[in-house]
Amino acid sequence: MNRFAVLCAGFVLLSGCSEPPMVDSTSTTPSISTPPVEAPEVSTPVGPLGTAAYQSELTKIEQGLAGDLRALTRVRTAEALTQTMDNLAASLNAAAEDLAELTVTRRLAGVHKVLSGGLEAAADALSTSDRTESNARCGGVAYTSQKVQRRLRADLSSAIVALRKLDLRFGNSLPDPGPEPEAETPTNGDTLVRRGPAGSGRLRVMNGTANDVAISIVSTGQPPSKPHVMTYVEAGKTATISRIGGAYSLYFKSGTDWSPSRRQFSADCSFQKFERSFGRNQSWQVDLKRTITGNAPTTEVEAY
């Protein structure tokens, strides 16, 4: 059986038509409408807040910071560390703004102000990320991240102590890398590495710069991470390296906060290589202070 579409009163139907029902124009047909569902408004608690209500707000703020704080302990690259610090700084500023909207009782007014100031100070410190990649480059991402974590705890420590005195909890989610390792700076002329056969080569190093340096004598064909000899030379002092075996290239790194375990500076780092090579069983003298009359150019190299 064929089926046709038939036009009836302006509609398309699949079967026959019928007359439309008569509608009494004087009658009214009740209509049922569903009111739109609106999202609940998030309102700032009406103050002044007492201890219990204020604790509730502190818990919400800390929960909002927890994700960025965890990320700070998990970064693996300098770029990721910088991004994490930026994210955490934004979250701390947002937390400070949320606190600023609260009104508290007179008993809590002092600690409320201290906490707000601590959050802002921590955010400002994290925002100075222009040196972060440089520090991570020389000190290592883990070291730099731990340094940031310690600074964060220090910026908030006064507020945390004051809150605890009032039986308020805050800061439990802050990462704790432990105390900073004690510095063990070598003395001038200390040999940090010596490997391979000795020879009759000799090198006198004058460090006319403002920073300590670690001089690396690297045998030809070897990477700077595997020096034949590495010697520490303090700023403004001279050291002599003897019994150098074979031809070599000369590298030096400078900075502050020496790490014995990594044999590396942890901040303000620079890594240089002399462009010329040094011959076997020869005696040389170099001055690390830059001068326009110098005859030993250097180039910046990757961290080692």
Side-chain angles (χ1 to χ4, degrees):
M1 178 179 65
N2 295 325
R3 306 182 70 179
F4 299 92
V6 181
L7 293 179
C8 298
F11 293 92
V12 178
L13 305 176
L14 293 180
S15 59
C17 300
S18 62
E19 291 293 331
M22 297 296 292
V23 178
D24 185 357
S25 59
T26 61
S27 65
T28 58
T29 303
S31 60
I32 301 175
S33 61
T34 303
V37 178
E38 297 181 358
E41 294 184 1
V42 179
S43 59
T44 302
V46 178
L49 303 182
T51 302
Y54 192 59
Q55 178 62 71
S56 177
E57 295 304 312
L58 293 180
T59 301
K60 291 177 184 177
I61 288 174
E62 188 153 15
Q63 289 173 346
L65 297 173
D68 290 327
L69 292 172
R70 285 194 299 269
L72 188 60
T73 66
R74 299 173 180 176
V75 291
R76 295 292 180 268
T77 66
E79 294 78 7
L81 177 57
T82 299
Q83 183 61 58
T84 299
M85 290 173 64
D86 288 343
N87 293 344
L88 182 54
S91 296
L92 288 167
N93 277 322
E97 292 175 1
D98 290 342
L99 275 181
E101 296 180 1
L102 301 178
T103 303
V104 299
T105 59
R106 182 179 299 179
R107 178 174 179 267
L108 302 177
V111 72
H112 179 64
K113 182 177 181 180
V114 172
L115 179 57
S116 297
L119 291 171
E120 291 175 354
D124 289 342
L126 288 168
S127 297
T128 58
S129 58
D130 54 323
R131 291 176 52 193
T132 304
E133 290 190 18
S134 175
N135 287 347
R137 175 175 176 258
C138 63
V141 173
Y143 170 87
T144 306
S145 174
Q146 291 176 358
K147 195 169 185 177
V148 170
Q149 294 168 39
R150 293 187 186 98
R151 175 63 186 273
L152 181 61
R153 292 184 70 89
D155 288 336
L156 295 174
S157 61
S158 296
I160 292 172
V161 171
L163 286 165
R164 286 176 181 169
K165 291 180 179 179
L166 298 177
D167 294 327
L168 291 164
R169 300 178 305 279
F170 186 80
N172 291 334
S173 61
L174 290 177
D176 185 4
E180 188 168 1
E182 293 185 8
E184 298 179 17
T185 304
T187 59
N188 187 64
D190 280 356
T191 298
L192 309 177
V193 176
R194 181 176 283 277
R195 58 165 65 95
S200 59
R202 183 181 176 90
L203 176 69
R204 185 169 185 261
V205 180
M206 296 180 291
N207 182 11
T209 71
N211 288 331
D212 293 358
V213 301
I215 292 286
S216 290
I217 293 171
V218 181
S219 300
T220 301
Q222 293 295 317
S225 58
K226 296 182 178 180
H228 169 44
V229 183
M230 180 186 288
T231 300
Y232 198 88
V233 187
E234 294 178 354
K237 294 188 177 181
T238 299
T240 299
I241 306 170
S242 303
R243 299 184 294 115
I244 301 173
Y248 60 90
S249 296
L250 188 60
Y251 294 76
F252 67 97
K253 50 189 173 186
S254 63
T256 59
D257 297 338
W258 176 260
S259 168
S261 61
R262 297 191 314 274
R263 291 195 291 267
Q264 199 172 51
F265 293 101
S266 300
D268 305 320
C269 298
S270 173
F271 300 85
Q272 302 282 331
K273 177 189 178 182
F274 281 87
E275 292 184 0
R276 68 169 302 159
S277 58
F278 296 80
R280 176 184 177 88
N281 298 330
Q282 295 178 340
S283 295
W284 297 89
Q285 176 175 295
V286 297
D287 188 349
L288 303 182
K289 185 177 182 179
R290 294 185 180 277
T291 172
I292 58 175
T293 59
N295 60 353
T298 63
T299 55
E300 185 80 14
V301 295
E302 291 296 318
Y304 61 88

